[in-house]
């Protein structure tokens, strides 16, 4: 989406009506340009009211990401991050991964108002819509090798539950390896991409996507059951505060992970585990299916499943897990 479209939307962000004429005058452009910009935003799923005689208004006011407010809310923790916010990007993970090797400093955070090609696990797309969620990536460098980071996504899941609880979003649970669910509907996802040697050092790009208020148009793009914070709390979430809360909790958990590994967070992860003791079906990367009962997770973050008369460990994040009898679609 063009920078100009963001300028138009920023004028409408308070949720009040503004005429095309007023917007055009403020930005020094023609009314047709304003109309085109709003058309482009509507095509991306943003709901815009147009009322004859009153003008345009966003159905949901947008709280734009604000670097200063986020840093202020982070307080002492702000020094750990180099925070960058952009309007539109293909994927924050892709962007950080591209600069990672040479220049990315530990603690670089890239957040976007809109991702045009957001990436999910297992080759899926990730959709949030403009202003409808949080989408950001954090670059973190580890002395350990890539092999020691197997529990990292689970550790980040713990941070997410802590942040959501602190923000008054209760009843959220974790699904191995890294989904945040509410009543089996997906609220947030984590995508970790690691570069480096098995023996270290290594660098992780930790991508986090959280649904805040998804429009129907965005929900229609998603091929699984989803939920957003607004539905769970009944209120429009405060984006900047929640973002700061998430960053703060992630930093805290990373500090534990760096020194003690996932083992120190395992009990807490298990306390949030949505599928503990449940019969599940595992879909393997090669398409084979297996069934068993989930026993929990090991100290390295592997999933433990009892099936075929033995306890089996699964380490690959490419495995898909679903409760027996529940389809992976929109249930
Ligand atoms: C999943 O559950 O499949 C993982 C979703 C991860 C989405 C986030 S949004 C920010 C970052 N950039 C991306 O392209 N993906 C991650």
């Amino acid at each position: 989406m063009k920078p100009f479209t963001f300028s138009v939307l920023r004028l409408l962000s308070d949720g009040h009506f503004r005429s095309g004429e007023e917007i055009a005058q403020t930005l020094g452009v023609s009314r047709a340009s304003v109309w085109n910009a709003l058309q482009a935003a509507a095509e991306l799923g943003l709901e815009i009211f147009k009322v004859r005689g009153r003008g345009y208004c966003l159905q949901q006011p947008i709280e734009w990401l604000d670097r200063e407010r986020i840093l202020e809310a982070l307080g002492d923790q702000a020094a750990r991050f180099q925070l960058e916010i952009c309007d539109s990007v293909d994927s924050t993970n892709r962007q950080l991964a591209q600069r990672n090797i040479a220049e990315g400093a530990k603690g670089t955070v890239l957040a976007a108002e809109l991702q045009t090609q957001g990436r999910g696990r297992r080759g899926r797309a990730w959709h949030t819509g403009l202003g409808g969620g949080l989408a950001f990536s954090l670059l973190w460098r580890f002395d350990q090798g890539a092999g020691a980071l197997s529990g990292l996504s689970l550790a980040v899941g713990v941070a997410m539950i802590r942040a959501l609880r602190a923000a008054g979003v209760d009843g959220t649970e974790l699904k191995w390896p890294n989904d945040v669910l509410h009543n089996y509907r997906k609220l947030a996802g984590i995508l970790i991409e690691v570069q480096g040697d098995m023996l270290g050092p290594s660098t992780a790009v930790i991508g986090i996507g959280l649904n805040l208020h998804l429009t129907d148009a965005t929900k229609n793009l998603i091929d699984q059951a989803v939920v957003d914070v607004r539905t769970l709390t009944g209120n429009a979430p405060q984006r900047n505060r929640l973002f700061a809360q998430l960053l703060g909790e992630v930093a805290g958990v990373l500090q534990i992970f760096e020194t003690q590994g996932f083992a120190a967070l395992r009990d807490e992860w298990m306390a949030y585990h949505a599928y503990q003791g449940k019969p599940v079906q595992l879909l393997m990367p090669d398409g084979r299916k297996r069934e068993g009962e989930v026993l929990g997770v090991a100290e390295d973050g592997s999933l433990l499943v009892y099936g075929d008369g033995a306890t089996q460990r699964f380490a690959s994040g490419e495995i898909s897990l679903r409760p027996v009898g529940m389809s992976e679609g929109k249930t």
Side-chain angles (χ1 to χ4, degrees), residues 90-94 110 115 117-122 124-126 128 134-137 178-180 186 188-193 206-210 224:
D90 51 359
S91 150
T92 55
N93 258 42
R94 181 176 297 144
L110 178 64
Q115 288 191 121
Q117 289 172 52
R119 302 204 293 217
R121 284 180 57 232
R122 299 166 54 232
R124 288 176 128 156
W126 182 262
T128 359
L134 287 172
F136 64 94
S137 302
N178 49 16
D179 287 354
V180 180
K186 187 149 169 172
I190 301 161
L191 177 68
I192 297 192
E193 297 175 278
I206 302 167
I208 294 180
L210 170 65
Q224 58 184 320

Side-chain angles (χ1 to χ4, degrees), residues 167-187:
V169 187
D170 296 323
T172 52
E173 295 182 305
L174 293 170
K175 174 187 172 191
W176 185 89
N178 49 16
D179 287 354
V180 180
L181 307 180
H182 186 279
N183 201 12
Y184 296 107
R185 291 175 297 168
K186 187 149 169 172
L187 178 66

Side-chain angles (χ1 to χ4, degrees), residues 29 119 215:
V29 296
R119 302 204 293 217
T215 62

Side-chain angles (χ1 to χ4, degrees), residues 35-194:
W35 189 86
N36 285 337
L38 290 171
Q39 198 61 24
E43 276 163 20
L44 282 169
L46 204 68
E47 287 163 355
I48 300 165
F49 288 136
K50 181 173 188 315
V51 175
R52 191 180 284 273
R54 296 185 72 193
Y56 303 99
C57 163
L58 293 183
Q59 196 203 30
Q60 295 285 341
I62 297 179
E63 182 191 321
W64 299 96
L65 294 175
D66 180 328
R67 190 170 177 277
E68 297 316 312
R69 282 176 66 186
I70 296 162
L71 293 176
E72 194 185 314
L74 270 166
D76 293 346
Q77 303 244 46
R80 295 170 156 217
F81 301 105
Q82 288 85 51
L83 178 58
E84 292 176 35
I85 295 170
C86 63
D87 279 343
S88 177
V89 78
D90 51 359
S91 150
T92 55
N93 258 42
R94 181 176 297 144
Q95 290 298 321
L96 274 198
Q98 272 171 8
R99 38 175 130 139
N100 168 5
I101 295 173
E103 24 168 328
K106 180 174 180 179
T108 301
V109 179
L110 178 64
E113 297 289 2
L114 175 71
Q115 288 191 121
T116 53
Q117 289 172 52
R119 302 204 293 217
R121 284 180 57 232
R122 299 166 54 232
R124 288 176 128 156
W126 182 262
H127 305 279
T128 359
L130 177 61
L134 287 172
F136 64 94
S137 302
L138 165 65
L139 190 148
W140 209 258
R141 296 196 183 277
F142 294 89
D143 294 332
Q144 299 101 313
L149 303 188
S150 56
L152 179 60
S153 65
L154 285 79
V156 174
V158 167
M160 295 201 58
I161 301 277
R162 288 183 184 177
L164 287 163
R165 287 186 168 195
V169 187
D170 296 323
T172 52
E173 295 182 305
L174 293 170
K175 174 187 172 191
W176 185 89
N178 49 16
D179 287 354
V180 180
L181 307 180
H182 186 279
N183 201 12
Y184 296 107
R185 291 175 297 168
K186 187 149 169 172
L187 178 66
I190 301 161
L191 177 68
I192 297 192
E193 297 175 278
V194 179

Side-chain angles (χ1 to χ4, degrees), residues 269-282:
W269 196 96
M270 295 272 279
Y272 304 145
H273 188 189
Y275 289 11
Q276 189 64 30
K278 297 241 166 37
V280 291
Q281 187 180 72
L282 296 149

